[in-house]
Amino acid sequence: MKIKAFDAVVLRKLQPEIEAALAALGRRHGITIRAGTARFRESTAELKLELAVIGGDGKSARREVEEFAKYHAMYGLEAGDLGRVVILDHEEHCLVGLAPNRPKYPIVMERLRDGKVVLCTEDVIEKITALRLLKPS
């Protein structure tokens, strides 16, 4: 595909190729590289990249997890709440971290069906903390 101008559709089509190229580079260096948000104009585009080291457990570090470790108490959460699974919109989601720099959507969940990261409002905290009463950590 020869790109003549950038728009959301073009970037969505290009994203799998970018992700594959980044994954190969990441494997070569023992890190993970994720493509983040993109901004574009007609003839230029900017793509945010997140690089993370891979720990001894084989999982890559995530900024959201680091933020959770620092700020969970501020949201009324406990350390054991990380990884808790709740039902949102009839689907299972796992709490994977916090994004306090996003005041409207600070709760970072991952939809278990497909691994899609979903940003949620603080009202999700009630569902997470209610599970503590049912299933202690």
Side-chain angles (χ1 to χ4, degrees):
M1 145 174 83
K2 180 158 168 108
I3 298 171
K4 298 182 192 258
F6 289 106
D7 61 23
V9 173
V10 167
L11 288 174
R12 240 180 267 119
K13 288 181 180 177
L14 191 58
Q15 185 176 355
E17 287 185 57
I18 293 171
E19 294 281 350
L22 292 174
L25 178 65
R27 280 191 300 277
R28 196 164 48 243
H29 294 284
I31 61 174
T32 60
I33 306 173
R34 292 183 355 189
T37 56
R39 293 189 297 182
F40 59 89
R41 294 186 179 91
E42 185 174 339
S43 59
T44 62
E46 298 171 9
L47 182 64
K48 183 177 178 180
L49 297 179
E50 183 176 308
L51 288 70
V53 298
I54 298 174
D57 59 359
K59 294 181 180 180
S60 62
R62 292 181 74 155
R63 180 182 57 220
E64 296 90 353
V65 174
E66 291 175 353
E67 297 290 342
F68 184 89
K70 286 183 194 174
Y71 301 110
H72 66 271
M74 188 171 88
Y75 290 91
L77 295 166
E78 295 178 358
D81 290 329
L82 189 67
R84 253 191 229 286
V85 176
V86 297
I87 305 296
L88 304 174
D89 297 327
H90 308 291
E91 294 199 57
E92 291 185 320
H93 290 72
C94 177
L95 176 61
V96 294
L98 291 172
N101 59 331
R102 296 175 182 246
K104 191 170 181 180
Y105 300 100
I107 311 303
V108 184
M109 306 292 287
E110 184 176 290
R111 190 168 54 206
L112 295 182
R113 174 176 51 89
D114 58 6
K116 179 175 173 43
V117 172
V118 179
L119 300 175
C120 299
T121 58
E122 288 185 48
D123 63 334
V124 171
I125 294 172
E126 290 177 28
K127 291 184 177 192
I128 295 166
T129 55
L131 286 176
R132 252 190 253 140
L133 301 174
L134 300 172
K135 301 178 201 170
S137 297

